[in-house]
Amino acid sequence: MARLAYFIKKSSLAGSAQLSQLFSALESHGFSLYRVPCEGGIKSGTLALLSLGGDGTFLSAAPLAITSGLPIIGVNFGRLGFLAQTNASLLPQALQSGEYSLQERSLLEVKMDCECPESFFPYALNEVSVSRVSASMLGVDVKVDGVALPTYWADGLLVATSTGSTAYSLSVGGPICTPDSKVSIIAPVSPHNLNVRPLIVPQDSRIDLRVQSRDSSSVFTMDNRNHIIPAGSHIEVTTSRRKLQRLCID
């Protein structure tokens, strides 16, 4: 019997009739299921990781899929479904018959010169960003492959993958890119200098960020994970050699 791991973020979903119906259908098609936390617990012989919820749940489950090398399936029980696109009713038959495909999604990898918490995970699927902690704007010095850009004076700045072009980047006016586009997006958040706009650069570029602020710290995010970093921190963003494997129903 093939194993499927599943991840749930919302406890209210765990006992729902929708979920019970999905589990019964999967078991009747020859699959056994077990629940995993963010930290791990993947058993041998596991076919895939099911993310049960919306896009927020998918992003929370992604680090587990990346570290284990398992393909992840986003089953939509939430609101947004850019990543969690799979209809639960189609899943059991598609998995049993093999009517699915695997997509590789690029990841951003981060290195910083400041102390990171033990839980720090250096990969992001959608984007990384820096943002202010008070009313004072940030100055973000950016270099692309060693070439300096004009300083971004803004509430923040993000670097997004093509997958993340429909997430935070879209809300700040960034372009929509197909997921297989080999690009990264640099986009300011509420810029105060109007001559700066979102910028597309090749995916293999090295992007260096350094934050200027009147405050002693700023907020650094990687997808839905937040960290407080000292002002003046240097952040290096590159495209990782590691990929996220996403299982899609054909």
Side-chain angles (χ1 to χ4, degrees):
M1 187 176 270
R3 285 174 167 168
L4 295 171
Y6 69 91
F7 176 84
I8 299 175
K9 190 174 181 180
K10 287 188 175 180
S11 56
S12 59
L13 180 62
S16 70
Q18 283 179 299
L19 206 57
S20 296
Q21 186 176 9
L22 172 62
F23 287 173
S24 295
L26 285 168
E27 288 166 357
S28 69
H29 282 74
F31 297 98
S32 63
L33 297 105
Y34 66 96
R35 186 173 179 175
V36 289
C38 290
E39 293 77 19
I42 297 295
K43 299 178 182 179
S44 62
T46 300
L47 174 66
L49 172 64
L50 307 184
S51 167
L52 306 177
D55 283 357
T57 301
F58 190 101
L59 290 175
S60 294
L64 180 55
I66 294 164
T67 53
S68 67
L70 277 181
I72 182 171
I73 313 168
V75 185
N76 196 339
F77 286 99
R79 293 176 297 173
L80 291 178
F82 289 106
L83 296 169
Q85 293 180 330
T86 301
N87 187 314
S89 64
L90 303 178
L91 183 62
Q93 179 60 38
L95 287 179
Q96 185 186 55
S97 62
E99 295 174 355
Y100 56 81
S101 58
L102 288 176
Q103 294 180 350
E104 282 194 339
R105 294 295 179 94
S106 296
L107 301 168
L108 297 176
E109 183 171 356
V110 167
K111 295 178 182 177
M112 294 193 290
D113 65 355
C114 59
E115 187 175 351
C116 299
E118 271 187 43
S119 60
F120 181 75
F121 186 72
Y123 305 103
L125 174 63
N126 274 350
E127 76 280 312
V128 302
S129 70
V130 290
S131 57
R132 61 183 187 171
V133 295
S134 72
S136 296
M137 76 176 79
L138 296 181
V140 187
D141 298 320
V142 182
K143 289 183 179 180
V144 179
D145 290 330
V147 178
L149 303 181
T151 297
Y152 288 85
W153 293 99
D155 288 355
L157 184 131
L158 63 85
V159 179
T161 63
S162 53
T163 296
S165 70
T166 53
Y168 190 10
S169 177
L170 178 64
S171 71
V172 301
I176 295 176
C177 306
T178 58
D180 57 348
S181 301
K182 306 299 183 184
V183 299
S184 296
I185 302 163
I186 302 171
V189 179
S190 301
H192 293 255
N193 46 342
L194 299 180
N195 62 327
V196 294
R197 292 290 184 270
L199 177 66
I200 294 177
V201 299
Q203 180 178 264
D204 58 0
S205 300
R206 188 188 80 247
I207 301 168
D208 294 287
L209 311 176
R210 191 174 294 277
V211 181
Q212 306 177 34
S213 177
R214 292 178 183 173
D215 298 305
S216 60
S217 61
S218 58
V219 179
F220 179 66
T221 67
M222 302 184 69
D223 291 336
N224 57 354
R225 309 183 303 276
N226 295 337
H227 306 284
I228 301 298
I229 61 172
S233 296
H234 172 248
I235 304 161
E236 180 187 282
V237 184
T238 56
T239 298
S240 176
R241 292 182 180 179
R242 301 181 81 162
K243 305 288 184 183
L244 176 81
Q245 300 287 331
R246 183 166 175 262
L247 193 151
C248 304
I249 302 301
D250 296 331

